Amino acid sequence: MKMLINVAETVVADALRGLAAAHPELTVDVENRVIVRRDAPVAGQVGLVSGGGSGHEPLHGGFVGPGMLSAACPGEVFTSPVPDQMVRAAAAVDSGAGVLFIVKNYTGDVLNFDMAAELAEDEGIQVAKVLVNDDVAVTDSLYTAGRRGTGATLFVEKIAGAAAQEGQPLERVEALARQVNENSRSFGVALSACTTPAKGSPTFDLPAGELELGIGIHGEPGRERRAMMTSREIADFSVNAVLEDLNPDSPVLVLVNGMGGTPLLELYGFNAEVQRVLIERGVAVARTLVGNYVTSLDMAGASVTLCQVDEDLLRLWDAPVRTAGLRWGM
């Protein structure tokens, strides 16, 4: 496999150095693996900290900035960051208003963020935690007890980040993050396996002419494997799987997310089919975002995330944001 890297051992450090060079509005601690918005801590604002294994870019480091995360902790590829990173990040962004940890439901992330919360509280930092577990494909998986955290992480980070930017208190920011997670469901499909730099070959076997329905963002098995389907058929299967679980009675945010190896030409075509299914099912769409946001290295495929919103959640979604990976209104 050909990769634009030096050696596998320095992939994350090299990427962080490149991020720092491209985005001087961020403070990037390459050695300790912490990315912080340069103006942190912001007086009177709740600090938002998230993180996880690298390989899902722009999640999470690409979402650090005004209107979204205060800091992010990148681990090695597909490997949880360690508690010391999270404590360092919490200390860097704590203004005295408290810190919210946003955690995807993967066992390593959950354990390490739990430990970090205890350590941070020992240092006098008030910490709240929200678990993202939006994936409807499977209940338990290779890395997870319960549902996996996937595309809804973006919705949680954006809406909670907007609330924090407004100066809302920790209890309210936490409650909004929980509401967004509870209102969100996702389903993903893989057309190819991903390739980690350390392995240098596909992480699982997906024969030519087949696809995996319900894949996780690390290549975890899904519901079933089938012969290749059309974009229309994949949209029917994916959106209906989400709607079987969500049953929205108000408008939804739609995220049509690429897994890293699918071009926008295909993603926009897939979005057309997703929108068709939603219209057929009588689901009103408030906003749509299409692109590569919660990825799995070079995996070809896509996920669909729906989040039911009220006027307040929609207002917070529309609020200005300025990060490397998401920006509008600023």
Side-chain angles (χ1 to χ4, degrees):
M1 302 296 293
K2 297 177 181 178
M3 293 185 175
L4 194 62
I5 65 173
N6 293 316
V7 294
E9 292 77 12
T10 66
V11 165
V12 175
D14 291 345
L16 290 175
R17 289 191 296 105
L19 179 70
H23 295 282
E25 71 275 14
L26 300 175
T27 298
V28 181
D29 185 338
V30 177
E31 181 179 357
N32 293 299
R33 306 290 173 89
V34 178
I35 304 163
V36 182
R37 51 184 285 187
R38 189 168 289 279
D39 59 352
V42 181
Q45 286 190 17
V46 171
L48 263 64
V49 175
S50 193
S54 297
H56 305 304
E57 289 75 20
L59 190 82
H60 293 274
F63 297 148
V64 175
M68 215 159 174
L69 294 177
S70 308
C73 308
E76 291 298 324
V77 173
F78 291 177
T79 303
S80 172
V82 298
D84 284 352
Q85 290 174 259
M86 303 158 190
V87 174
R88 192 180 295 269
V93 304
D94 180 36
S95 68
V99 174
L100 178 67
F101 284 168
I102 298 173
V103 188
K104 300 189 305 302
N105 188 31
Y106 292 95
T107 301
D109 290 359
V110 172
L111 291 174
N112 286 337
F113 270 102
D114 283 348
M115 185 179 298
E118 294 178 7
L119 294 171
E121 287 169 350
D122 288 343
E123 296 185 9
I125 302 171
Q126 183 184 6
V127 177
K129 295 172 293 182
V130 170
L131 190 68
V132 182
N133 56 352
D134 55 302
D135 178 43
V136 302
V138 295
T139 301
D140 296 300
S141 69
L142 188 61
Y143 301 101
T144 310
R147 290 181 167 180
R148 302 175 290 212
T150 57
T153 312
L154 183 148
F155 290 151
V156 172
E157 292 178 355
K158 171 62 184 75
I159 289 173
Q165 188 75 25
E166 291 181 348
Q168 297 196 37
L170 179 59
E171 295 78 9
R172 178 60 178 159
V173 177
E174 177 188 4
L176 284 165
R178 292 188 187 281
Q179 181 183 358
V180 172
N181 179 63
E182 291 166 1
N183 287 6
S184 299
R185 302 289 189 276
S186 297
F187 191 90
V189 178
L191 310 183
S192 73
C194 59
T195 305
T196 62
K199 191 170 187 289
S201 60
T203 55
F204 62 95
D205 178 42
L206 186 56
E210 294 186 3
L211 81 169
E212 184 91 21
L213 295 165
I215 199 75
I217 59 174
H218 307 95
E220 307 97 311
R223 286 187 179 181
E224 60 180 289
R225 187 168 291 185
R226 289 189 181 183
M228 186 59 193
M229 300 157 65
T230 65
S231 177
R232 182 184 184 91
E233 292 168 336
I234 295 170
D236 284 331
F237 193 101
S238 301
V239 177
N240 285 324
V242 170
L243 293 178
E244 284 173 7
D245 204 279
L246 185 61
N247 297 317
D249 55 10
S250 62
V252 297
L253 304 175
V254 179
L255 172 63
V256 172
N257 172 69
M259 302 304 293
T262 300
L264 280 171
L265 179 69
E266 295 177 35
L267 291 177
Y268 277 115
F270 183 54
N271 179 55
E273 298 298 342
V274 168
Q275 301 289 330
R276 171 189 57 79
V277 181
L278 292 172
I279 290 170
E280 291 174 354
R281 294 290 300 269
V283 178
V285 174
R287 302 286 186 273
T288 300
L289 184 65
V290 179
N292 291 286
Y293 294 101
V294 183
T295 62
S296 184
L297 294 169
D298 59 343
M299 180 186 287
S303 62
V304 177
T305 304
L306 303 182
C307 176
Q308 182 173 250
V309 292
D310 55 23
E311 289 184 4
D312 192 39
L313 293 183
L314 185 58
R315 179 187 64 80
L316 292 167
W317 173 256
D318 287 339
V321 59
R322 188 171 73 247
T323 71
L326 197 71
R327 60 177 62 204
W328 57 69
M330 284 189 177

